[in-house]
Amino acid sequence: MALAKARKMNPRQLASDVLARLDVREWCDRVELAGGGFLNFHLRPTAVAQTLQSAARGEHLFFEPAAAPRTVVVDFSSPNVAKPMHVGHIRSTILGDCLARTLRLLGHRVITDNHLGDWGTQFGKLLVGWKRYLDPAALQTEPLVEMERLYKRVNDACERDSTVLDAARQELVKLQAGDPENRALWQRMIDESRHQFDAVYGRLGVRFDHTLGESFYNPRLKAVVQDLVARSLARASEGALVVFFDELPELKAHPAIIQKSDGAANYTTTDLATLAYRLETWRPDEIVYVTDARQQLHFKQLFAVFRQWHPEARTKLAHVWFGSILGEDGKPFKTRSGETIRLADLLDEAEERALAVVTEKNPELAEAQRREIARVVGLGAIKYADLLPNRQTDYVFSWDKMLALNGNTAPYLLYAHTRIGSIFRKGGLEGPTSGKATDAPFPLNAPEELVLGKQLLHFGHVLEAVAEEYRPNYLCNYLYDLAGLFARFYENCPVLKAAGPDRAARLSLCDLTARVLKQGLAVLGIETPEQM
Ligand code: ARG
């Protein structure tokens, strides 16, 4: 349709011209012209069978590594230090991890960087709090909770008492000037924070190649500002240094401040220095930033300044933003008493609730085993619930929904995966007959077999679409459909009771479905237990 429009042709005419020159006999029984200019391709079952067979031989799993691998930096999670990670950090962490995994699977060179907020004006207040009100015992047990308390206490005091605000400013100036005591305390706060963050990342199975953090770029900020001024891209305005976007209608009313009137650099300056460093160091083809929707303007400004600053750079810059998590009352997700929910508590609760589900399904399993399965199911449920909705819409956090065994959930998919495993166990088969059944015929006589086979063939397209549009929900929906088609196939086509080539082909379909489910879930960051 789009081609016809560009060529000012009748779409049906264009379609019939294409059809006339098309030679797809190898893969298609027929191609028919339909409607206003559609081409419907009818795949030959033998072509589908061939692809399934080569997958069964282990030659591929319906996707191919990129012909031209790209270097992609994924900037995600990036919490601010000295505060517990809360539910708001989960989306960036889970989404970013999934995108990194997808790109890696497709053969790209992926560099993950946790851009911690480890520098900024909050440290003035934190230092005052640490020096005046620190409770060492509380620091021992829950360091981030203690630091958050200190911050809040001083922040409140600042509102009432300007001498406290002055004290905070002085501590900040000393820190920035490299005062040894303040530097050491600041470092301590970062170490404590990172220790806590790492515990959460460990549970989520998320790892980073780098955690450079904002402070890493401090020594580079001056040069960024100077360069932008020297190139006449930034100019003085009301004491600050500002980049204006007169040519960009969308940003005309939103100039970017790169140096505040007090001479301090800001979030934008730091991100510019970060971009320049990444370009120099890794020469990426693409940089992906995963943050919430509220940072859209920041990234539009950042990218716009960068394009003026480095017009030669071909690097694709993408801001992958997401909506909020809501409680069942439709308001931002909070605890019953109205506090923000700590991520560690949320993960504990997920495992606890999943234990009930697992126990119901499998009361005879030993407790340790049930707990291990519950860990995978609980964390999987949270991740899946986060990846399933269109990332740009807000979603309602619901334990009942995400832990349901029926519906588009992680427990459903994990259960579907274990059921396939049990087919092999029941048949006394180690696993599939892969490798052996190389050239045996692969009949796809039942319609349910053919539909399932075609769905398997789509896996690679779906992975590519996820990487292209940064949308893991495509993969979630694909896996859910796959599990549904498998269930229909299994209802209608006996596997262990079949004989000869039918049995071999059906066992292969079972095995390939299990492998695609497992690989797909792995890309979503979800482990797959053998039993559930
Ligand atoms: N620390 C920021 C926050 O918590 C997110 C940083 C995102 N990455 C970046 N390069 N700006 O909002």
Side-chain angles (χ1 to χ4, degrees):
M1 300 289 174
L3 273 180
K5 197 169 173 201
R7 292 168 189 219
K8 300 197 168 61
M9 280 177 78
N10 173 340
R12 207 175 152 93
Q13 184 58 48
L14 177 67
S16 93
D17 290 354
V18 169
L19 186 56
R21 293 179 214 186
L22 201 61
D23 183 5
V24 289
R25 272 168 298 178
E26 209 183 321
W27 308 294
C28 293
D29 281 335
R30 64 200 153 89
V31 184
E32 61 194 18
L33 180 57
F38 294 98
L39 290 176
N40 291 335
F41 292 75
H42 293 261
L43 277 179
R44 268 176 199 277
T46 50
V48 177
Q50 268 171 26
T51 310
L52 293 169
Q53 277 174 304
S54 55
R57 285 193 301 265
E59 289 166 21
H60 61 82
L61 194 61
F62 311 107
F63 62 89
E64 271 179 73
R70 286 173 295 157
T71 299
V72 187
V73 174
V74 188
D75 172 325
F76 72 103
S77 196
S78 310
N80 296 331
V81 303
K83 275 190 199 167
M85 282 178 93
H86 59 80
V87 62
H89 294 114
I90 202 172
R91 297 206 81 180
S92 175
T93 309
I94 292 175
L95 252 163
D97 182 53
C98 172
L99 296 176
R101 287 172 188 264
T102 309
L103 287 159
R104 274 204 181 109
L105 185 68
L106 291 173
H108 299 290
R109 176 178 174 239
V110 176
I111 298 163
T112 52
D113 187 6
N114 189 0
H115 191 70
L116 290 185
D118 61 358
W119 194 254
T121 50
Q122 74 270 31
F123 284 101
K125 291 174 184 168
L126 278 162
L127 284 162
V128 172
W130 190 286
K131 290 181 183 179
R132 294 190 189 171
Y133 311 117
L134 183 69
D135 172 352
L139 186 70
Q140 272 287 321
T141 45
E142 288 210 87
L144 292 180
V145 176
E146 173 61 2
M147 284 188 255
E148 194 178 38
R149 182 189 71 86
L150 294 176
Y151 178 81
K152 280 195 187 132
R153 175 151 182 193
V154 176
N155 198 41
D156 290 347
C158 285
E159 275 166 27
R160 278 174 279 115
D161 183 348
S162 66
T163 61
V164 185
L165 191 60
D166 279 340
R169 283 208 189 103
Q170 276 161 28
E171 294 294 0
L172 184 66
V173 170
K174 274 167 71 186
L175 173 68
Q176 286 168 339
D179 170 76
E181 188 195 1
N182 280 7
R183 288 294 290 202
L185 288 178
W186 167 77
Q187 189 61 52
R188 173 88 195 272
M189 295 185 215
I190 290 176
D191 294 345
E192 296 282 6
S193 306
R194 287 193 58 169
H195 196 71
Q196 303 290 308
F197 296 162
D198 285 345
V200 171
Y201 295 139
R203 287 179 78 177
L204 291 174
V206 172
R207 43 168 295 279
F208 298 91
D209 299 314
H210 302 278
T211 301
L212 296 179
E214 293 183 13
S215 64
F216 176 80
Y217 301 97
N218 280 344
R220 299 165 178 266
L221 301 178
K222 277 248 141 43
V224 170
V225 173
Q226 276 164 5
D227 200 36
L228 286 167
V229 171
R231 290 170 196 250
S232 310
L233 293 174
R235 55 186 155 87
S237 170
E238 295 168 39
L241 288 171
V242 180
V243 177
F244 290 91
F245 307 109
D246 295 331
E247 316 290 307
L248 301 172
E250 198 189 1
L251 291 178
K252 219 173 156 162
H254 304 284
I257 298 177
I258 57 152
Q259 182 175 293
K260 295 188 284 185
S261 49
D262 64 2
N266 63 11
Y267 191 46
T268 304
T269 330
T270 310
D271 257 330
L272 284 167
T274 307
L275 239 171
Y277 174 85
R278 287 174 176 165
L279 245 63
E280 257 163 58
T281 314
W282 299 313
R283 309 213 165 278
D285 299 292
E286 187 173 331
I287 305 179
V288 181
Y289 299 85
V290 189
T291 83
D292 70 42
R294 287 168 303 181
Q295 299 200 27
Q296 285 176 85
L297 178 60
H298 166 73
F299 283 103
K300 280 184 186 149
Q301 293 176 321
L302 176 69
F303 298 169
V305 175
F306 182 72
R307 291 290 172 219
Q308 298 185 20
W309 188 28
H310 284 277
E312 77 295 344
R314 294 275 83 87
T315 308
K316 174 178 174 193
L317 303 174
H319 180 213
V320 173
W321 57 270
F322 50 82
S324 339
I325 307 183
L326 306 177
E328 301 205 53
D329 56 1
K331 301 209 188 91
F333 189 38
K334 295 257 163 77
T335 61
R336 222 163 270 171
S337 54
E339 288 156 60
T340 48
I341 296 175
R342 277 193 267 137
L343 201 42
D345 295 341
L346 192 79
L347 302 185
D348 289 344
E349 187 167 352
E351 293 185 18
E352 215 43 60
R353 286 177 180 258
L355 185 62
V357 177
V358 174
T359 305
E360 197 190 309
K361 267 256 159 278
N362 253 321
E364 73 289 350
L365 281 183
E367 164 151 5
Q369 219 174 343
R370 276 184 287 127
R371 282 205 178 273
E372 170 55 14
I373 298 172
R375 181 187 66 77
V376 174
V377 173
L379 298 179
I382 290 211
K383 289 188 180 186
Y384 194 84
D386 203 67
L387 295 169
L388 174 65
N390 170 347
R391 62 177 159 78
Q392 289 167 337
T393 55
D394 298 345
Y395 79 90
V396 173
F397 191 95
S398 157
W399 288 117
D400 291 342
K401 238 171 140 182
M402 74 176 72
L403 285 166
L405 276 163
N406 289 312
N408 195 349
T409 64
Y412 169 75
L413 292 177
L414 292 172
Y415 188 57
H417 176 260
T418 60
R419 271 184 52 185
I420 303 179
S422 67
I423 299 172
F424 287 97
R425 280 195 293 276
K426 222 196 277 161
L429 302 165
E430 284 271 309
T433 42
S434 64
K436 290 177 222 153
T438 39
D439 292 314
F442 200 107
L444 290 170
N445 296 325
E448 293 84 2
E449 292 173 310
L450 188 58
V451 177
L452 176 61
K454 285 186 188 173
Q455 175 76 358
L456 288 167
L457 261 55
H458 273 304
F459 186 41
H461 302 148
V462 174
L463 291 172
E464 277 162 29
V466 171
E468 186 68 30
E469 297 178 44
Y470 316 110
R471 292 193 185 278
N473 55 318
Y474 294 163
L475 180 56
C476 297
N477 286 315
Y478 166 83
L479 294 174
Y480 179 63
D481 290 343
L482 176 64
L485 293 175
F486 181 82
R488 289 221 345 246
F489 152 80
Y490 195 59
E491 266 162 42
N492 292 290
C493 308
V495 176
L496 293 173
K497 291 205 179 95
D502 272 330
R503 185 173 196 264
R506 287 174 186 176
L507 279 171
S508 271
L509 281 170
C510 291
D511 175 53
L512 291 170
T513 303
R515 275 162 53 190
V516 168
L517 281 173
K518 190 180 178 82
Q519 178 68 79
L521 287 164
V523 159
L524 299 175
I526 300 175
E527 295 172 57
T528 33
E530 289 309 316
Q531 240 182 331
M532 219 179 116

